[in-house]
Amino acid sequence: MTKHAAEDAAVAAPAQPGRRFTSYPPSSCRRAAAQGRMDPGAAGAAARATGSWLDAVPRRAEHDDDWMEKHPSALAGFESVLAAAKGKQVVMFLDYDGTLSPIVKDPDTAVMTEEMRDAVRGVAEHFPTAIVSGRCRDKVFNFVKLAELYYAGSHGMDIKGPTPESKHAKAKAEAVLCQPASEFLPVIDEVYRALTATTAAIPGATVENNKFCLSVHFRCVQEEKWSALEEQVRSVLKEFPDLRLTRGRKVLEIRPSIKWDKGNALQFLLEALGFADSNNVFPIYIGDDRTDEDAFKVLRDMGQGIGILVSKIPKETSASYSLREPSEVKEFLHKLVKSKQSTTQRD
């Protein structure tokens, strides 16, 4: 694991009301659409690099001292976070499942609480805020129900926001749209039908269509059947070399083999907000899954902002800080808002 310096920060003022952001599409989305597919060899290597089934289920139950030293609690180190962000524009990026809502057996019941919604709403009142999820963008919006946010679904391959009807000042900007994997929609639908039929024989397995990617959930599958499920998924994908397979928390993810992930989505949104190559921005990305590591790595390479991993157990991560569960995420968001409000009152 990479040990990062304990950066920390006072929350700066948001963009001025009525500010117009860069119009669609920033160059990063155009480049992604032009780049097209990954090299087949690279895509295959990425799929093989996802590790064994046991990698998907870490066994250690408690944070150890060494891991916590490298990835301290964002609550315990909150004053340090404020110090690092002082004088800069905070931009908030939030994963959904496992971050704003608990991980549940049935993905369709992963509903966020009203208290969490209020916390996210409060953050969005002061800072540009985006939800970045592997879910279909429309489904995530129906869970969150906040029009003033940016939404990046399908692991960042479907970005839009904010909606025109929002009364939020930032939503008066031009709407942003980026869909670099549009050409893959027909094949995604075809593979969805094939996987639904193929996996029907394995009790507990469900296939979720997230528009530009697919998720095969095995949280309710008996562990002795995991390998058989993977074999079935791989057998289907053999016919579709332009798709790649990765793993998350008890889920297999099937995505187009293009050079685009949550890290690219973060960069795209920063550019859309007018912060490309800016030293005055402080992105905060909070997520719990392997796919969020792409965003953590972008922040690490930028040397700006912080990544916060949500996990009750030590994991290999590029995040700088950690939180244990969604309830701590909510507390962190509340502290961020209170800090901003107190700063505004002093000014």
Side-chain angles (χ1 to χ4, degrees), residues 11-44:
V11 178
Q16 295 300 312
R19 170 183 174 183
R20 298 188 66 79
F21 301 143
T22 305
S23 61
Y24 161 79
S27 60
S28 54
C29 190
R30 292 196 298 268
R31 286 195 301 270
Q35 283 173 345
R37 297 163 177 79
M38 294 174 61
D39 176 79

Side-chain angles (χ1 to χ4, degrees), residues 126-246:
H126 298 287
F127 317 110
T129 301
I131 307 296
V132 186
S133 172
R135 300 270 203 148
C136 169
R137 174 170 53 80
D138 290 341
K139 184 176 290 186
V140 175
F141 179 84
N142 288 335
F143 278 139
V144 179
K145 300 176 182 176
L146 294 175
E148 59 266 38
L149 308 184
Y150 291 83
Y151 289 87
S154 301
H155 297 292
M157 288 182 283
D158 188 9
I159 304 175
K160 189 175 182 179
T163 56
E165 63 268 21
S166 171
K167 295 180 180 179
H168 192 281
K170 297 180 184 60
K172 295 177 183 177
E174 297 176 24
V176 168
L177 176 67
C178 179
Q179 296 177 331
S182 296
E183 66 177 290
F184 288 88
L185 284 175
V187 73
I188 290 291
D189 287 339
E190 182 180 354
V191 173
Y192 172 70
R193 293 191 295 270
L195 286 175
T196 300
T198 302
T199 62
I202 296 185
T206 59
V207 184
E208 184 178 13
N209 190 335
N210 293 310
K211 191 172 181 177
F212 292 99
C213 61
L214 303 171
S215 299
V216 181
H217 299 276
F218 59 92
R219 185 167 297 278
C220 297
V221 175
Q222 294 180 350
E223 188 169 347
E224 57 267 25
K225 296 186 181 294
W226 290 358
S227 294
L229 177 63
E230 180 183 23
E231 284 301 314
Q232 289 186 349
V233 172
R234 289 188 181 277
S235 68
V236 171
L237 294 183
K238 286 179 181 178
E239 304 299 321
F240 301 92
D242 289 335
L243 301 180
R244 59 189 175 115
L245 177 68
T246 59

Side-chain angles (χ1 to χ4, degrees), residues 89-334:
Q89 171 64 60
V90 169
V91 181
M92 180 64 66
F93 297 89
L94 300 163
D95 182 27
Y96 184 76
D97 293 279
T99 299
L100 299 181
S101 72
I103 297 294
V104 293
K105 290 184 177 181
D106 181 359
D108 290 334
T109 64
V111 179
M112 69 190 302
T113 64
E114 284 300 325
E115 292 80 6
M116 181 66 85
R117 184 172 292 104
D118 287 342
V120 175
R121 182 185 292 111
V123 167
E125 287 177 359
H126 298 287
F127 317 110
T129 301
I131 307 296
V132 186
S133 172
R135 300 270 203 148
C136 169
R137 174 170 53 80
D138 290 341
K139 184 176 290 186
V140 175
F141 179 84
N142 288 335
F143 278 139
V144 179
K145 300 176 182 176
L146 294 175
E148 59 266 38
L149 308 184
Y150 291 83
Y151 289 87
S154 301
H155 297 292
M157 288 182 283
D158 188 9
I159 304 175
K160 189 175 182 179
T163 56
E165 63 268 21
S166 171
K167 295 180 180 179
H168 192 281
K170 297 180 184 60
K172 295 177 183 177
E174 297 176 24
V176 168
L177 176 67
C178 179
Q179 296 177 331
S182 296
E183 66 177 290
F184 288 88
L185 284 175
V187 73
I188 290 291
D189 287 339
E190 182 180 354
V191 173
Y192 172 70
R193 293 191 295 270
L195 286 175
T196 300
T198 302
T199 62
I202 296 185
T206 59
V207 184
E208 184 178 13
N209 190 335
N210 293 310
K211 191 172 181 177
F212 292 99
C213 61
L214 303 171
S215 299
V216 181
H217 299 276
F218 59 92
R219 185 167 297 278
C220 297
V221 175
Q222 294 180 350
E223 188 169 347
E224 57 267 25
K225 296 186 181 294
W226 290 358
S227 294
L229 177 63
E230 180 183 23
E231 284 301 314
Q232 289 186 349
V233 172
R234 289 188 181 277
S235 68
V236 171
L237 294 183
K238 286 179 181 178
E239 304 299 321
F240 301 92
D242 289 335
L243 301 180
R244 59 189 175 115
L245 177 68
T246 59
R247 293 197 187 94
R249 294 179 63 178
K250 293 190 177 179
V251 61
L252 295 171
E253 306 277 8
I254 296 94
R255 291 187 267 173
S257 294
I258 63 171
K259 297 175 182 178
W260 193 268
D261 52 38
K262 289 185 176 182
N264 298 105
L266 182 152
Q267 292 174 309
F268 170 86
L269 284 167
L270 287 177
E271 182 179 349
L273 289 164
F275 295 117
D277 302 319
S278 172
N279 293 322
N280 296 318
V281 64
F282 193 84
I284 300 176
Y285 189 107
I286 307 179
D288 75 306
D289 198 59
R290 287 186 179 188
T291 57
D292 298 308
E293 290 296 326
D294 295 315
F296 296 155
K297 290 173 184 175
V298 165
L299 293 179
R300 180 192 63 189
D301 292 343
M302 287 173 56
Q304 293 175 265
I306 57 168
I308 303 176
L309 175 68
V310 183
S311 178
K312 290 184 177 180
I313 57 177
K315 293 181 180 179
E316 188 79 18
T317 182
S318 294
S320 303
Y321 288 87
S322 64
L323 293 168
R324 289 177 177 267
E325 55 194 0
S327 63
E328 290 196 352
V329 174
K330 181 177 65 176
E331 184 178 353
F332 178 85
L333 299 181
H334 280 312

